[in-house]
């Protein structure tokens, strides 16, 4: 079916949300129908707040970096006064890309096609041979600048929206802001992306990554080689004594939970019996003095957070930021960063980086396992005579609305959650994302008069 032929009733039927009867089912078409993908791009990525980067990626005047909001190429730049803004990376003249690099510093961007120039506030400051150009009034009246995009920040987390018809960023993030605080407050001056970004693609739907971050159930079956290596290190059978990483073997005895926030954000979390092996533990006393015992405990805890729809902060083996860019219904680009507290000691930074390389990096022990699993799912989705998945049923008898003991301790008031041993491997944590998915598409169709 073509996107413009899809009705909301088609979308609505793809998710069965009847938790009172212990039923929540997701249809395979969500991951394989190009028409669904079109709607997602239009109404989830291009009519919503989307994460674009960290302020540390452009710390000084005239610094910039390039990224994407949905299918639109974007420049995020600090102007000469230090003010951050976001623009479409396309020349007003004939549309050429203005900024070619992943990041840099430039007082101006000169288009390499016909030489128009723009400053870092997005204004057009030069039109080559303008006086001789026989231009007329209609052209002269145009704004020749780069198209500005709605832009805002929560602490150092930067977001943009292609539509003005969105709630404030504050409202969009809601209580998920408190989970971002547990990332940001790891140092007195916040966090930064450690140089060494990497990108890769996988041949599967973008939501496979969205879900995997909060999928605890796969850990013990998808990552056995990592678990075996950790066990051998613990038993003294490895010569690598430097890297101490997360031990999934203890995960089923720790206390943990899951939480869904409005607008699709979700988190899984667990107390961490191995917190002394974290890089941040080096500066624990400073963190306690600044943030208190409870918050420090949860900063050192295991937390995998998705800020819907495109950024994740996975704090387990180390702290990783993942930015998700859907390319097509069955192809996704990931850009991943190791994150650390600004100004932390070399000792803390070294622990973070070694743990990051061990588990997370493209060459780490986890990333290839997960990526192959997504591709295996997409392979299986070719089976067109199969409709419904069974991957949203675990935890449903423990599902509750509102906060619980652990979420209250963290200081959040989620829409729903699950609390208990991590070994329950709850799957109700996906419900918030699917409800938001449906709502975003419905709101978009309604705004376009298509409902
Ligand atoms: S396309 Fe940029 S100056 Fe012509
Ligand atoms: Fe994984």
């Amino acid at each position: 079916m073509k996107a413009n032929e899809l009705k909301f009733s088609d979308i609505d039927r793809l998710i069965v949300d009847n938790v009172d009867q212990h039923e929540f089912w997701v249809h395979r078409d969500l991951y394989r129908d190009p028409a669904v993908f079109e709607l997602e791009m239009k109404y989830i990525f291009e009519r919503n707040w989307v994460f674009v980067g960290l302020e540390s990626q452009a710390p000084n005047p005239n610094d910039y970096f390039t990224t994407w909001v949905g299918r639109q190429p974007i420049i995020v730049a600090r102007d000469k006064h230090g003010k951050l803004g976001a623009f479409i990376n396309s020349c007003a003249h004939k549309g050429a890309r203005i900024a070619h690099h992943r990041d840099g510093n430039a007082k101006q961007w000169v288009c390499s096609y016909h030489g128009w120039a723009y400053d870092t506030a997005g204004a057009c400051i030069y039109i080559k041979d303008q006086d001789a150009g026989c231009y007329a009034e209609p052209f002269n009246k145009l704004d020749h600048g780069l198209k500005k995009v709605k832009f805002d920040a929560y602490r150092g987390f930067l977001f943009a929206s292609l539509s003005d018809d969105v709630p404030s960023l504050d409202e969009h993030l809601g209580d998920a802001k408190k989970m971002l605080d547990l990332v940001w407050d790891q140092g007195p001056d916040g966090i930064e992306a450690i140089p060494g970004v990497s990108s890769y693609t996988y041949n599967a739907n973008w939501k496979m990554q969205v879900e995997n971050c909060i999928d605890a159930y796969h850990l013990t079956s998808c990552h056995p080689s990592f678990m075996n290596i950790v066990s051998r290190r613990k038993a003294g059978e490895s010569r690598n004594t430097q890297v101490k990483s997360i031990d999934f073997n203890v995960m089923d005895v720790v206390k943990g939970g899951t939480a869904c926030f409005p607008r699709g954000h979700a988190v899984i979390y667990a107390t961490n019996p191995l917190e002394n092996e974290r890089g941040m533990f080096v500066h624990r006393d400073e963190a306690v003095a600044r943030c208190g015992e409870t918050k420090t405990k949860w900063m050192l805890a295991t937390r995998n957070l998705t800020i819907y729809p495109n950024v994740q902060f996975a704090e387990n083996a180390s702290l990783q930021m993942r930015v998700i860019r859907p390319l097509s219904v069955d192809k996704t680009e990931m850009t991943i960063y190791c994150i650390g507290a600004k100004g932390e000691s070399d000792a803390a930074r070294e622990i973070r980086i070694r743990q990051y390389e061990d588990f997370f990096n493209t060459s780490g022990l986890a990333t290839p396992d997960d990526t192959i699993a997504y591709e295996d799912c997409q392979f299986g989705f070719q089976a067109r005579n199969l409709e419904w998945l069974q991957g949203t049923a675990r935890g449903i008898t423990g599902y509750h609305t509102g906060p619980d003991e652990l979420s209250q301790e963290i200081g959040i008031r989620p829409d729903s959650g699950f609390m208990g041993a991590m070994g329950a491997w709850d799957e109700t944590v996906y419900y918030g994302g699917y409800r938001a998915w449906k709502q975003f598409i419905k709101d978009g169709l309604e705004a376009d008069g298509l409902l």
Side-chain angles (χ1 to χ4, degrees), residues 116-256:
W116 289 23
Y118 301 86
D119 69 15
T120 45
C124 181
I125 52 173
Y126 177 68
I127 292 175
K128 188 180 72 170
D129 300 335
Q130 182 170 16
D131 292 346
C134 300
Y135 286 114
E137 194 55 18
F139 173 85
N140 293 333
K141 281 200 306 209
L142 293 174
D143 177 358
H144 311 299
L146 298 177
K147 168 88 177 139
K148 282 195 172 62
V149 172
K150 191 175 174 72
F151 179 83
D152 203 354
Y154 175 67
R155 307 190 83 179
F157 304 98
L158 313 180
F159 292 81
S161 168
L162 296 173
S163 167
D164 288 330
D165 186 18
V166 285
S168 67
L169 180 62
D170 197 64
E171 201 181 323
H172 170 68
L173 295 173
D175 252 17
K177 289 197 298 276
K178 298 196 178 126
M179 301 311 302
L180 287 174
D181 290 343
L182 295 178
V183 177
W184 186 259
D185 285 327
Q186 299 204 9
D189 299 315
I191 48 122
E192 64 186 351
I194 297 171
V197 57
S198 48
S199 285
Y200 56 94
T201 58
Y202 65 80
N203 294 319
N205 190 267
W206 64 279
K207 296 187 292 299
M208 301 308 302
Q209 177 64 50
V210 169
E211 291 166 25
N212 176 266
C213 183
I214 47 176
D215 177 343
Y217 191 33
H218 80 285
L219 295 178
T220 50
S221 46
C222 191
H223 301 302
S225 45
F226 178 74
M227 292 178 70
N228 290 339
I229 285 170
V230 170
S231 297
R232 284 206 296 278
R233 285 178 189 154
K234 267 172 66 178
E237 293 168 16
S238 167
R239 276 181 295 175
N240 183 347
T241 52
Q242 187 188 18
V243 182
K244 301 254 185 345
S245 209
I246 192 168
D247 185 353
F248 295 144
N249 290 306
V250 303
M251 292 296 281
D252 57 352
V253 295
V254 302
K255 269 170 71 175

Side-chain angles (χ1 to χ4, degrees), residues 91 93-96 111 113-116:
C91 181
H93 180 230
K94 298 269 281 181
C111 180
Y113 201 178
H114 309 92
W116 289 23

Side-chain angles (χ1 to χ4, degrees), residues 49 52-67 74-87 104 109 119-122 148-160 184 342:
W49 288 106
V52 289
L54 293 175
E55 66 164 20
S56 75
Q57 293 175 254
N60 302 309
N62 296 326
D63 279 351
Y64 72 91
F65 59 91
T66 54
T67 183
I74 298 285
I75 309 172
V76 176
R78 248 182 231 281
D79 69 15
K80 63 183 178 189
H81 306 295
K83 186 170 185 290
L84 279 162
F87 317 97
W109 300 291
D119 69 15
T120 45
K148 282 195 172 62
V149 172
K150 191 175 174 72
F151 179 83
D152 203 354
Y154 175 67
R155 307 190 83 179
F157 304 98
L158 313 180
F159 292 81
W184 186 259
K342 281 184 202 164

Side-chain angles (χ1 to χ4, degrees), residues 256-381:
T258 72
C260 293
F261 300 93
R263 298 181 72 79
H265 319 308
V267 66
I268 60 173
Y269 52 83
T271 53
N272 181 8
L274 307 170
E275 66 174 33
N276 58 333
E277 289 173 3
R278 287 283 162 81
M280 192 199 135
F281 190 80
V282 173
H283 302 293
R284 189 179 185 284
D285 292 346
E286 182 281 324
V288 170
R290 183 166 44 86
C291 303
E293 278 285 350
T294 305
K295 186 167 175 183
T296 302
K297 175 178 122 182
W298 286 105
M299 287 197 286
L300 284 160
T302 300
R303 306 175 321 279
N304 279 14
L305 170 70
T306 293
I307 299 294
Y308 200 79
N310 77 320
V311 68
Q312 300 179 323
F313 294 91
E315 172 105 44
N316 47 70
S318 182
L319 178 53
Q320 182 186 45
M321 180 172 88
R322 306 181 184 125
V323 182
I324 303 166
R325 179 187 165 213
L327 299 175
S328 67
V329 71
D330 56 4
K331 196 171 184 83
T332 305
E333 180 191 77
M334 299 296 303
T335 307
I336 55 173
Y337 305 79
C338 182
I339 299 294
K342 281 184 202 164
E344 68 187 356
S345 63
D346 289 351
R349 181 69 47 112
E350 187 172 358
I351 293 169
R352 280 193 200 267
I353 294 175
R354 294 291 90 82
Q355 290 176 338
Y356 180 84
E357 292 162 342
D358 198 41
F359 189 68
F360 281 138
N361 211 19
T362 40
S363 54
L365 285 160
T367 306
D369 294 341
D370 291 318
T371 307
I372 291 298
Y374 312 159
E375 294 189 347
D376 279 345
C377 292
Q378 202 73 32
F379 181 93
F381 296 153

